[in-house]
Amino acid sequence: MIDIFLQSIRSIGSFTEDEIDTVRNALSPKFYKKGTLLLDQGEVCSCFWFLETGSVYSYFFNAALDQQTTGLYVRGSWLVDQASFTARAPSKYKIAAFEDTETLILNIHDLHDLIGRSPVFFQLGKILGNPEHDAFRKERGPDERYLQLLNNQPQLLQTFPLKYIASYLGMTPETLSRVRKRISDIS
């Protein structure tokens, strides 16, 4: 079986085998049952999660009290509430297990310990990624957003219900249905 953690850590940066083992030893396993919150709105995010199995989504409730999905994550993904983690501020989002999920957790104290051992571990900051999702939703039309998801993250379409996908893409489920029909008619 492919070690998805090993694949992931190698995609983040250039680490020796010893450094990879050091990171692996800093991680703590944690299991979340379906529906369990990994992070609640108002809590300060103090760790990164790596998904070994399962799936997770992040969301908030807008002014109309509709759930707005902000992130979808599947096996092999790293996730963190970047704004909360970096600013040490209360989270604006909830992060919940969509299904039973096994994670590896790197908490902020262990991250600081790793960086204190060697500057090479600064590369782990790439986990924070680039918060481009909102800009992506505003700059592209519905068809383009769906096609990008279909081409780059098809596993999300196989894991999450269409209402989560639609919300994540910034459209109604009805719009997503029309987009899917248009695209399937072209194919």
Side-chain angles (χ1 to χ4, degrees), residues 30-146:
K30 185 158 184 185
F31 175 81
Y32 295 92
K33 285 196 74 57
K34 178 181 179 174
T36 303
L37 289 177
L38 284 70
L39 180 71
D40 200 358
Q41 187 174 6
E43 292 179 351
V44 174
C45 182
S46 295
C47 65
F48 298 124
W49 293 271
F50 177 77
L51 303 186
E52 287 203 300
T53 66
S55 57
V56 170
Y57 65 107
S58 59
Y59 64 98
F60 69 95
F61 291 97
N62 63 22
L65 297 180
D66 294 324
Q67 182 176 309
Q68 177 63 58
T69 304
T70 57
L72 300 171
Y73 308 91
V74 292
R75 180 179 188 259
S77 300
W78 286 95
L79 68 137
V80 63
D81 180 334
Q82 181 178 356
S84 175
F85 186 88
T86 56
R88 310 304 309 139
S91 177
K92 296 178 182 176
Y93 307 105
K94 294 176 179 274
I95 300 175
F98 180 71
E99 58 190 344
D100 289 352
T101 301
E102 295 176 22
T103 67
L104 296 174
I105 296 174
L106 179 61
N107 71 48
I108 193 167
H109 304 294
D110 291 331
L111 176 62
H112 288 161
D113 181 53
L114 287 171
I115 292 169
R117 290 181 191 196
S118 171
V120 73
F121 295 113
F122 273 114
Q123 295 177 80
L124 293 171
K126 291 180 184 174
I127 295 170
L128 291 170
N130 208 347
E132 297 175 347
H133 182 68
D134 287 337
F136 163 76
R137 290 188 338 179
K138 292 175 185 169
E139 294 172 3
R140 297 200 169 91
D143 291 20
E144 197 175 356
R145 285 179 271 167
Y146 178 74

Side-chain angles (χ1 to χ4, degrees), residues 169-180:
L169 293 174
M171 60 182 83
T172 65
E174 296 78 18
T175 300
L176 179 58
S177 291
R178 287 190 297 274
V179 166
R180 293 178 75 210

